[in-house]
Amino acid sequence: GEFFETLTMFYWVWNVKTEESHCEVRIANIDGQDEWASGMTKVQKIYFAIFSLIPKACIGVVLLYLGGHYVALSPTNNDLILNCVAIVFIIDFDDILYRTFTPIFIKKVMAELPPIRFRSVMSGLFDVLVVPYIKALFFAVIVIGLELSSHC
C-alpha cells in the first residue's frame, strides 16, 4: 500500500507537464472535460522528490520491515491482532492528520481539481494484470525473509 502509493506519486511527478518557469495553476476545458493546462518546474519536481517522495519511501520500507517483523513475532493471537491494529494506525496517521487539520475550503478546492490524465490503455492493463502479482511476490519475499531472520 504505502510503498506502491509512493511509486504512483513518483510516476505522477515524472509525467506531469514540465514548465520553464513558475506559473499559477491553469485549468482548460478540452473536449468538454476540465484538464490541467499547467505543470511543475524542474526545481519543484526535485524539491517534491527530496522532501516528500524519498522520505515517504524510506518510511514505507522501514515500516514494512520493522512492522512485519513486529507482527510476525507476536507471541499470541491477541498480540497479533493488537500489533496489526497498531501498524494500521501508523500507516493511516497521515490521512488522519489531513482529515483533522486541513481546512474545509482547501479540501473543497482539491476535490474540484481535475485529475491529471497521462495514462494509456496499456498502463491500465498493466495495473490490472501485472501489479497484483508484483505486490504478492513482494509480500512473499518479505514474509520469507522475516521467517528466515526469526530463526537466526
Side-chain angles (χ1 to χ4, degrees):
E2 196 74 16
F3 187 72
F4 288 102
E5 182 180 275
T6 306
L7 290 178
T8 302
M9 289 170 66
F10 175 78
Y11 185 71
W12 176 83
V13 170
W14 184 265
N15 287 291
V16 73
K17 181 180 176 183
T18 303
E19 298 283 348
E20 291 297 321
S21 63
H22 178 72
C23 60
E24 64 184 38
V25 174
R26 294 184 313 272
I27 309 295
N29 192 309
I30 301 171
D31 297 328
Q33 292 185 347
D34 287 339
E35 294 192 18
W36 289 83
S38 60
M40 299 169 67
T41 65
K42 287 181 183 178
V43 172
Q44 289 172 324
K45 288 182 175 187
I46 291 169
Y47 280 162
F48 186 73
I50 292 171
F51 295 112
S52 184
L53 293 179
I54 293 172
K56 183 173 174 53
C58 292
I59 290 169
V61 169
V62 168
L63 189 60
L64 178 67
Y65 178 76
L66 294 178
H69 199 63
Y70 189 65
V71 168
L73 298 178
S74 299
T76 66
N77 287 341
N78 290 338
D79 288 337
L80 176 67
I81 292 170
L82 185 62
N83 292 343
C84 287
V85 170
I87 296 295
V88 169
F89 175 77
I90 293 169
I91 291 171
D92 289 343
F93 191 69
D94 59 336
D95 294 330
I96 294 168
L97 290 176
Y98 171 79
R99 282 183 265 145
T100 304
F101 294 111
T102 303
I104 293 172
F105 75 93
I106 296 290
K107 291 178 188 176
K108 184 179 177 194
V109 167
M110 291 179 69
E112 291 175 355
L113 290 173
I116 295 178
R117 301 180 201 289
F118 52 79
R119 303 187 70 132
S120 67
V121 174
M122 289 307 293
S123 70
L125 289 174
F126 180 80
D127 287 348
V128 171
L129 299 175
V130 177
V131 170
Y133 294 105
I134 293 172
K135 288 181 177 181
L137 179 64
F138 186 71
F139 181 72
V141 167
I142 295 298
V143 169
I144 291 169
L146 290 173
E147 183 65 28
L148 292 175
S149 69
S150 68
H151 290 300
C152 294

